Amino acid sequence: MFKHLRKWFVTCFFGRSRRRARLVSKDGRCNIEFGNVEAQSRLIFFVDIWTTVLDLKWRYKMTIFITAFLGSWFFFGLLWYVVAYIHKDLPEFHPPANHTPCVEHINGLTSAFLFSLETQVTIGYGFRCVTEQCGTAIFLLIFQSILGVIINSFMCGAILAKISRPKKRAKTITFSKNAVISKRGGKLCLLIRVANLRKSLLIGSHIYGKLLRTTITPEGETIILDQININFVVDAGNENLFFISPLTIYHVIDHTSPFFHMAAETLPQQDFELVVFLDGTVESTSATCQVRTSYVPEEVLWGYRFAPIVSKTKEGKYRVDFHNFSKTVEVETPHCAMCLYNEKDAQAKMKRGYDNPNFVLSEVNETDDTKM
């Protein structure tokens, strides 16, 4: 009881003051900004205008969407008004009764705007129409129709692509709040739980991790956010996961692991960030998506394991209880990986015999002192 109270006191009062900066948030967003980017480099974003539009937030995208249509309608409305003005089709010029206008029933800027709207969105009310009197009006009609199709295709395609992006599918993949370290199969492992909230599968799923920390090279160079590969596996491997139910992935802490020299007492003082990635293909759309999250030392619990989550009902169905998804249970665990391996080596040596090179076997002749 006192142990848990002390842990809660340290987390509440001291944990906030030394809150660590994350590169990747818990929901997968990257906490990074680019400074002093040259103006010429910024123009590259306009060259790749499609990706730029897709990456915009919804409020900016809808602003561009509305502005593109309203702006094009009003611009061509002005051009139609200019055509009517040059050809003297407007009522202020008092055209004669036998005058044939370029566009029927354009009486001012408002009617020109309405005709531009009807032309571009192909409404076709039949009240205003182009006559064969002006070649300029015919050319303008063709140009606006072609440009309207391009604007419709681009903007509607951008909206549809934004809606169908696999980022939304990634929201239904969730990781456990904490990572735990405990024994699994006789080995000390770091375990993380991941679940797919949809019944549709992720095809060709692959999971891996990166340990980010600041390192100093033998030459004295300080590398911030140095990346170290962390291999995560399940019992069947780390590729083509059968992701129909929550999986517990684990990283074996052996001599090659960066966690090998850490201990339960020194883990909270470490400065690292463990980023976990899950790549897969969405079954329904065949789009590739990536889900990521991160763990800092305060979120890695030493000496715990995850509570059971899958059970079988009386009807023969398998039931997943997400109430226990991030719930952990304290278990007996060595306080460091080196202790576990030293203990195994000691037990192995006890089972093996050793030859003593200084041992000499001498034969002793027994004499019979009780001769008759």
Side-chain angles (χ1 to χ4, degrees):
M1 182 66 180
F2 178 74
K3 179 180 178 181
H4 292 286
L5 289 176
R6 184 180 62 180
K7 183 178 179 181
W8 176 84
F9 179 81
V10 172
T11 303
C12 291
F13 291 93
F14 295 98
R16 295 177 182 176
S17 60
R18 57 189 304 268
R19 190 183 298 272
R20 302 176 187 269
R22 293 177 180 269
L23 178 65
V24 179
S25 62
K26 297 297 288 184
D27 57 357
R29 291 176 296 178
C30 296
N31 180 27
I32 192 170
E33 63 179 14
F34 301 99
N36 299 325
V37 180
E38 298 180 357
Q40 184 178 2
S41 299
R42 294 182 182 273
L43 295 177
I44 300 177
F45 292 97
F46 293 97
V47 175
D48 187 13
I49 188 64
W50 178 254
T51 305
T52 303
V53 172
L54 288 183
D55 290 339
L56 289 176
K57 295 183 179 180
W58 273 108
R59 54 180 177 268
Y60 302 124
K61 184 183 291 294
M62 295 307 299
T63 301
I64 294 176
F65 182 85
I66 296 172
T67 303
F69 283 103
L70 289 179
S72 61
W73 296 339
F74 184 75
F75 174 73
F76 281 101
L78 288 177
L79 294 182
W80 287 115
Y81 180 80
V82 170
V83 170
Y85 184 86
I86 294 175
H87 198 254
K88 300 185 184 302
D89 298 335
L90 300 176
E92 57 262 27
F93 293 108
H94 304 286
N98 59 351
H99 178 75
T100 304
C102 292
V103 181
E104 296 282 355
H105 304 292
I106 287 187
N107 301 320
L109 186 59
T110 303
S111 57
F113 175 79
L114 292 176
F115 178 71
S116 173
L117 172 62
E118 295 173 17
T119 301
Q120 189 163 328
V121 300
T122 63
I123 294 178
Y125 290 122
F127 183 69
R128 300 179 183 89
C129 61
V130 177
T131 64
E132 68 276 6
Q133 185 69 23
C134 300
T136 305
I138 297 175
F139 173 78
L140 185 59
L141 176 66
I142 297 174
F143 181 72
Q144 184 179 4
S145 300
I146 295 175
L147 186 62
V149 171
I150 295 175
I151 295 176
N152 289 340
S153 302
F154 184 85
M155 298 310 301
C156 294
I159 295 295
L160 180 60
K162 181 77 171 178
I163 295 174
S164 60
R165 293 187 79 176
K167 278 187 176 181
K168 302 304 179 183
R169 178 63 176 91
K171 299 295 183 181
T172 56
I173 305 296
T174 181
F175 289 88
S176 57
K177 182 180 178 181
N178 298 99
V180 298
I181 295 179
S182 60
K183 292 177 65 176
R184 187 184 181 98
K187 301 177 182 179
L188 193 64
C189 301
L190 184 143
L191 301 98
I192 297 173
R193 180 171 277 174
V194 58
N196 178 17
L197 300 181
R198 288 186 178 272
K199 292 185 178 181
S200 59
L201 300 179
L202 283 179
I203 303 173
S205 300
H206 173 64
I207 194 161
Y208 57 97
K210 298 286 184 181
L211 187 71
L212 309 179
R213 63 183 181 182
T214 301
T215 59
I216 301 177
T217 63
E219 295 77 16
E221 179 185 3
T222 301
I223 302 178
I224 300 177
L225 298 179
D226 186 23
Q227 301 184 15
I228 302 175
N229 290 327
I230 302 295
N231 295 322
F232 282 97
V233 296
V234 292
D235 293 334
N238 64 342
E239 294 184 357
N240 299 324
L241 305 178
F242 187 44
F243 207 5
I244 194 172
S245 64
L247 298 176
T248 300
I249 60 175
Y250 60 91
H251 163 71
V252 179
I253 303 178
D254 53 12
H255 296 83
T256 62
S257 172
F259 297 96
F260 183 75
H261 298 284
M262 300 182 189
E265 297 80 8
T266 61
L267 180 63
Q269 287 77 37
Q270 298 293 327
D271 186 13
F272 67 83
E273 180 179 355
L274 176 61
V275 184
V276 184
F277 302 87
L278 174 64
D279 298 338
T281 303
V282 182
E283 184 180 28
S284 56
T285 62
S286 299
T288 304
C289 71
Q290 182 184 86
V291 194
R292 51 186 176 266
T293 189
S294 68
Y295 299 91
V296 293
E298 290 81 3
E299 297 170 342
V300 180
L301 305 179
W302 195 295
Y304 289 82
R305 64 173 176 83
F306 290 111
I309 191 175
V310 181
S311 60
K312 194 173 183 179
T313 62
K314 296 180 179 180
E315 294 78 12
K317 294 183 178 181
Y318 292 93
R319 182 176 183 270
V320 178
D321 184 10
F322 279 95
H323 178 72
N324 295 335
F325 180 72
S326 294
K327 186 177 180 180
T328 57
V329 180
E330 190 172 6
V331 293
E332 183 179 356
T333 306
H335 75 283
C336 66
M338 296 182 64
C339 300
L340 177 63
Y341 285 97
N342 291 337
E343 180 183 354
K344 288 185 176 181
D345 292 342
Q347 292 177 356
K349 289 180 181 179
M350 292 179 60
K351 294 180 181 180
R352 294 196 302 261
Y354 292 90
D355 293 332
N356 188 352
N358 297 323
F359 178 78
V360 177
L361 178 64
S362 59
E363 295 183 359
V364 178
N365 295 326
E366 296 182 357
T367 58
D368 189 2
D369 295 334
T370 59
K371 288 184 178 181
M372 296 296 295

